Amino acid sequence: GQTNLKSPQDIHVYVVNTNFTLRWNYTGNDTNVTFSAEYRFEDFETNEAEWQELSGCQNVTGMECDFSSAITKYYNMHHVRIRAESRGEVSPWSSIFEMVPYDIAQIGPPGIELQSRNGVIKIKVSPPEANQVRKMVIDHPSFKYILVIWENSSSAEFRSQSIFPTAIIDDVSPDTTYCLKVQATLPFDSKEGLFSPIRCVKTTRKAVNNLHCATNVSVLALNMDFHLHWNNQYKHHVSYNVQYLIGYLKKLHDDYSTKWLSVPGCENITVTQCNFSSVITTTGFYYLRVEAITEHNKSCLSNEVKVEPLITNEIGPPGVKVDISDVLLHIQISPPGGAESELMRDSYDLSYRILYWKNSSNNEDEIKMKEIKQTIGTVSDLTPATWYCVKVQAFTEIYNKSSRYSKEECIRTPKGKFIPLVILATFSIALIAVFLVATPLGFALYQAYNKIKYVFFPSCQPPLNIEGFGQFLNSPYLSATEEPIENFSVIEHIITDEINQVDFKDYKHSKQTSRDSGNYSNDDDTSGNKASEVLEKEMV
Amino acid sequence: IMNAFGLIQICLILLCTTTISSLQCNHLPLQQKKVIEKSLKLLDKMGKRFPQQCLREKAFFRFPEQVLKPRQKETVKVAIEEIFQHIFYIFSKNLTLAAWDGTALEQFQNGLYQQIEQLEACVIKKQSHYFGSKEVNRMKLKKYFKKIDCFLKDKQHSLCSWEISRAEMRRCLQLIDKVIRKP
């Protein structure tokens, strides 16, 4: 039953690799107290589970117990509780401790093997849980090791670097004692393991006969054409072997020294450069090194160079051609690398940046920019009769790289006003031409038509007074309308009589006046004139 | 003098490495698409069609699709990188009985690992916790890959067990490809 026994407090679990330790505090006065723990774990399928005895933590007298054998599901949520027992009485259960084993587990210390020779330190790291059957971390290659090294002197500075399981530390001074420690980490799980015990080692003297080693090994790459360059102080009788290693093998194999391969075409060469494009692909990365062999068969390996093809590679400039039509500038881009670099363009997902500007005497015209994905671009809104210059650069957003600009290509836009005038003139001329040609032609055709009609299809209507044709006529002649007949009669006498009766008073009056002018009347022929004048008056 | 020069060299190298890494961290998601594309092609290239005799041994692994569906795009990206890591380690086991095209396999592993290494550098630098420590989905992911690992061990890395695993990884990558292609 319930008694005055206090329940244990501050219950927590401490895990290193797969070693589970339960710890708690007990503030009760009673002696002869034992503790027993229970646990349950949540499965993803079932929500509730039963409390079970925690093996390894039953009737424990101390303040901690090891229950490693009980836990097998490292990714599931577990609950743990403990209570005190004394003389048949049990305390209430402590508060529940929740845990996901993998989350709270600490990575144990790795093992170290050291070798000191030739002025360098060679390290071989063995993973935590190396020889254990049950492992918290199933993929040992996933560990990333951090080395902390310092000189064993009073004013030493710590220096930390990330290393592979097999590593050579060559940036050390000869004949010096160095101390170091290593920890295993899992970056993705944000886990940093416990450090190994500190080990100290003394470096030897550097071997002096390394003058013939290749130095300054560097990579130059343009449009996926990769070249390795190096120097050598010792010029005579040295032949070289260029070797490469596929990048991921360093991670997976502790001893990758057997995985180096020779670059085809760069075996036993005497020049200090090598074209290693044949071994490069666009996926992944590589290490390159140069082995120098003297005539005495002494071999020396250079430093390694890491090559990440798509990052190391330099994209060459594209080719540009410009063409103009009316108010549109057409830009034809030929991609860098030519026909054989389809893979490069696909890996980079290349786009093109076009810069264009007016090439006038005052250089204050702004440079305009246009970005396109295709290899054909057009620019509109151009001023006529101006020189425009264009240059293009290829770039990739994925790798944040851009090529140099291509050469400038310039072209002049045609005169603007010329164009509508040309159209107008052409139209007018065409119109006039049409009229000039069409009208006489039409007329000629009409005449021809008439002639033909006259000759071949005459409209033969006979004169009216030919007998025999009357029967062809539907209606006889209509009685002609009365033609106006004028009654002519001689009326000479009447005219002279009428003239004598006319009052001469007015006439004399007018005659006198007319004499004055003289120009308009003839004195000699006055009688006749008088008569005709009167007659005219009457007639009017 | 030698020490000082050595230390300066190391500092410069570390500085350069960090600068280069920080430049690359922003472009990792864009590169993810390319890596998945290439990985799928190589996965197909390394072997032939699924052998008929292995149909009997089909095992059922339940890929936790919820991992690829959280609200934050950032979490999905990191989940994808973790999946790359798991796939990389699955294919690093004993492959002699699988008898696949060695070159395609090498390129497949190399491509995955380059991506993993780049992200590792970004994660270490930022020292941020992408997953909550009690994130259930992450544990489901680990369980899924551990199940495949155990399956391969139980079958002693036989040809059929490898072909089944390869088909499963292909399905996994295709799921990721679909998620990544969504705008």
Side-chain angles (χ1 to χ4, degrees):
Chain A
Q2 292 293 321
T3 59
N4 296 329
L5 266 183
K6 273 192 184 173
S7 57
Q9 295 178 343
D10 301 331
I11 173 175
H12 66 274
V13 175
Y14 181 65
V15 187
V16 175
N17 291 339
T18 50
N19 299 324
F20 291 81
T21 311
L22 182 65
R23 292 200 180 121
W24 62 93
N25 274 338
Y26 188 66
T27 52
N29 299 336
D30 301 30
T31 53
N32 255 355
V33 178
T34 60
F35 302 94
S36 294
E38 272 186 347
Y39 81 105
R40 68 176 175 192
F41 69 90
E42 277 174 21
D43 211 338
F44 297 126
E45 288 87 38
T46 64
N47 279 325
E48 282 298 314
E50 294 295 317
W51 285 103
Q52 303 173 38
E53 269 187 13
L54 191 56
S55 62
C57 288
Q58 299 301 307
N59 300 325
V60 174
T61 46
M63 295 294 178
E64 63 175 58
C65 61
D66 184 317
F67 62 97
S68 312
S69 50
I71 307 292
T72 50
K73 296 195 183 287
Y74 298 139
Y75 304 132
N76 289 53
M77 175 66 83
H78 288 70
H79 294 158
V80 179
R81 63 183 183 183
I82 195 166
R83 67 178 172 190
E85 286 166 9
S86 175
R87 290 182 281 264
E89 290 174 349
V90 286
S91 72
W93 285 107
S94 67
S95 54
I96 297 174
F97 183 81
E98 272 187 348
M99 66 165 188
V100 175
Y102 187 86
D103 265 344
I104 61 167
Q106 275 213 294
I107 303 170
I112 310 180
E113 265 179 46
L114 291 176
Q115 257 185 31
S116 170
R117 56 180 170 82
N118 265 350
V120 296
I121 302 172
K122 190 171 172 194
I123 287 186
K124 191 158 160 31
V125 185
S126 45
E129 304 182 305
N131 298 319
Q132 288 179 23
V133 174
R134 273 203 301 195
K135 295 180 185 168
M136 184 65 72
V137 178
I138 41 174
D139 297 312
H140 279 178
S142 61
F143 285 123
K144 203 171 180 79
Y145 298 102
I146 307 287
L147 167 81
V148 177
I149 188 167
W150 65 95
E151 248 182 87
N152 193 15
S153 60
S154 50
S155 61
E157 279 176 26
F158 285 75
R159 159 177 113 214
S160 94
Q161 62 190 86
S162 146
I163 58 168
F164 282 106
T166 314
I168 294 171
I169 304 152
D170 47 16
D171 44 3
V172 286
S173 329
D175 277 335
T176 327
T177 307
Y178 285 91
C179 291
L180 49 89
K181 57 182 183 177
V182 180
Q183 76 175 157
T185 66
L186 289 175
F188 281 108
D189 295 331
S190 303
K191 277 187 179 313
E192 284 185 5
L194 300 170
F195 273 103
S196 67
I198 297 172
R199 294 274 301 272
C200 295
V201 69
K202 186 169 175 176
T203 51
T204 62
R205 271 180 335 183
K206 257 194 164 61
V208 273
N209 52 351
N210 281 347
L211 285 175
H212 64 284
C213 284
T215 53
N216 289 351
V217 185
S218 62
V219 178
L220 286 176
L222 181 66
N223 288 339
M224 299 304 277
D225 195 29
F226 286 84
H227 289 262
L228 194 71
H229 295 262
W230 61 92
N231 294 333
N232 199 337
Q233 288 177 316
Y234 197 86
K235 301 280 184 192
H236 310 287
H237 308 294
V238 183
S239 65
Y240 303 103
N241 261 341
V242 181
Q243 298 174 334
Y244 74 101
L245 177 73
I246 299 175
Y248 79 97
L249 292 172
K250 259 202 191 188
K251 180 77 178 174
L252 284 187
H253 298 269
D254 286 352
D255 186 15
Y256 54 85
S257 55
T258 53
K259 308 281 178 185
W260 288 91
L261 301 165
S262 279
V263 174
C266 293
E267 292 148 310
N268 251 338
I269 55 172
T270 47
V271 290
T272 56
Q273 63 137 349
C274 164
N275 182 348
F276 61 96
S277 311
S278 56
V279 300
I280 297 291
T281 60
T282 52
T283 49
F285 66 113
Y286 304 85
Y287 293 96
L288 274 285
R289 72 181 183 188
V290 182
E291 185 189 22
I293 307 170
T294 61
E295 52 191 353
H296 310 294
N297 271 345
K298 264 202 203 143
S299 152
C300 168
L301 289 169
S302 70
N303 292 337
E304 294 167 4
V305 168
K306 183 177 177 183
V307 177
E308 293 183 86
L310 292 174
I311 296 170
T312 315
N313 179 48
E314 188 197 323
I315 308 172
V320 181
K321 273 200 207 132
V322 283
D323 198 10
I324 200 127
S325 70
D326 289 350
V327 283
L328 280 180
L329 179 66
H330 298 279
I331 301 161
Q332 177 102 6
I333 302 171
S334 37
E340 62 272 5
S341 290
E342 192 61 51
L343 190 60
M344 173 180 86
R345 290 192 287 276
D346 186 46
S347 299
Y348 279 134
D349 218 7
L350 282 180
S351 300
Y352 300 97
R353 192 172 290 130
I354 302 171
L355 290 187
Y356 61 99
W357 64 94
K358 282 186 212 172
N359 194 14
S360 49
S361 50
N362 70 325
N363 288 327
E364 286 170 15
D365 281 321
E366 53 168 299
I367 298 178
K368 296 204 192 120
M369 199 243 305
K370 188 168 170 163
E371 289 182 7
I372 54 168
K373 264 209 148 277
Q374 311 83 8
T375 51
I376 299 176
T378 49
V379 173
S380 52
D381 298 341
L382 300 176
T383 340
T386 332
W387 278 98
Y388 277 92
C389 288
V390 171
K391 63 181 182 183
V392 183
Q393 139 188 97
F395 72 96
T396 162
E397 211 189 312
I398 303 177
Y399 290 91
N400 200 21
K401 286 171 97 61
S402 48
S403 72
R404 281 184 303 118
Y405 276 100
S406 66
K407 275 195 308 185
E408 288 177 14
E409 288 286 329
C410 297
I411 197 164
R412 190 183 162 90
T413 48
K415 292 204 191 95
K417 291 189 187 116
F418 186 62
I419 297 159
L421 264 177
V422 164
I423 295 171
L424 197 64
T426 317
F427 180 69
S428 318
I429 291 168
L431 203 63
I432 292 166
V434 162
F435 273 124
L436 284 177
V437 168
T439 318
L441 193 69
F443 185 68
L445 278 171
Y446 178 67
Q447 290 291 79
Y449 164 72
N450 276 343
K451 287 269 187 286
I452 291 167
K453 191 172 166 219
Y454 177 73
V455 170
F456 291 104
F457 307 102
S459 54
C460 294
Q461 284 194 14
L464 296 173
N465 57 354
I466 290 180
E467 284 186 25
F469 283 94
Q471 58 208 3
F472 291 107
L473 299 171
N474 276 336
S475 55
Y477 290 108
L478 292 167
S479 54
T481 50
E482 283 281 325
E483 289 182 10
I485 296 166
E486 292 179 7
N487 289 326
F488 283 101
S489 55
V490 179
I491 48 173
E492 281 179 334
H493 308 291
I494 299 169
I495 292 170
T496 46
D497 284 345
E498 281 184 357
I499 289 171
N500 290 331
Q501 286 171 13
V502 168
D503 189 7
F504 277 91
K505 285 179 193 170
D506 289 342
Y507 178 72
K508 275 180 186 171
H509 212 35
S510 60
K511 191 186 168 193
Q512 279 177 346
T513 53
S514 68
R515 252 184 217 208
D516 285 338
S517 60
N519 289 333
Y520 301 102
S521 61
N522 203 351
D523 287 339
D524 298 332
D525 206 11
T526 51
S527 62
N529 282 343
K530 282 179 204 167
S532 61
E533 281 176 356
V534 168
L535 184 64
E536 281 172 8
K537 259 192 192 174
E538 279 238 308
M539 287 293 209
V540 172
Chain B
I1 300 166
M2 279 301 287
N3 281 349
F5 180 66
L7 278 170
I8 291 168
Q9 244 188 347
I10 289 155
C11 284
L12 277 172
I13 290 167
L14 278 172
L15 191 68
C16 288
T17 327
T18 41
T19 324
I20 292 163
S21 309
S22 62
L23 284 175
Q24 288 172 354
C25 286
N26 292 334
H27 300 282
L28 273 173
L30 293 167
Q31 289 172 14
Q32 264 180 0
K33 273 189 210 168
K34 283 283 167 199
V35 171
I36 293 168
E37 261 179 50
K38 287 180 185 172
S39 299
L40 274 168
K41 280 192 197 140
L42 289 165
L43 205 55
D44 282 336
K45 195 175 161 193
M46 66 175 75
K48 299 188 204 80
R49 256 178 1 142
F50 191 80
Q52 291 282 36
Q53 70 266 29
C54 297
L55 280 169
R56 283 181 267 121
E57 295 183 42
K58 209 80 169 81
F60 184 57
F61 309 107
R62 209 160 15 125
F63 178 76
E65 295 185 28
Q66 318 90 291
V67 186
L68 299 173
K69 281 173 190 169
R71 288 142 253 140
Q72 285 179 308
K73 273 213 123 174
E74 196 61 41
T75 327
V76 179
K77 279 174 205 153
V78 182
I80 292 170
E81 296 290 348
E82 188 157 336
I83 294 170
F84 283 167
Q85 204 188 195
H86 284 294
I87 296 176
F88 174 72
Y89 291 119
I90 295 263
F91 279 91
S92 64
K93 306 283 159 63
N94 185 2
L95 283 155
T96 26
L97 293 174
W100 286 331
D101 175 8
T103 317
L105 181 64
E106 267 172 9
Q107 286 181 20
F108 174 76
Q109 292 283 74
N110 213 11
L112 276 179
Y113 184 63
Q114 186 187 22
Q115 185 74 0
I116 292 167
E117 203 182 54
Q118 281 179 0
L119 187 80
E120 256 180 12
C122 292
V123 168
I124 290 172
K125 230 167 36 74
K126 285 187 197 170
Q127 286 176 336
S128 57
H129 294 253
Y130 284 106
F131 283 118
S133 53
K134 294 189 179 174
E135 182 68 59
V136 176
N137 286 339
R138 189 161 134 259
M139 291 301 146
K140 286 187 182 171
L141 207 56
K142 287 190 191 290
K143 261 197 149 190
Y144 168 77
F145 283 102
K146 190 171 182 183
K147 202 171 171 189
I148 297 175
D149 188 51
C150 289
F151 170 73
L152 282 165
K153 269 201 197 103
D154 289 341
K155 302 281 179 183
Q156 282 119 32
H157 299 94
S158 68
L159 169 72
C160 281
S161 65
W162 270 122
E163 286 291 346
I164 291 167
S165 303
R166 178 168 79 112
E168 187 66 29
M169 292 300 97
R170 193 167 183 282
R171 214 188 112 241
C172 191
L173 282 173
Q174 276 173 331
L175 267 165
I176 299 174
D177 192 38
K178 220 169 44 166
V179 166
I180 251 187
R181 281 183 193 281
K182 265 190 248 179

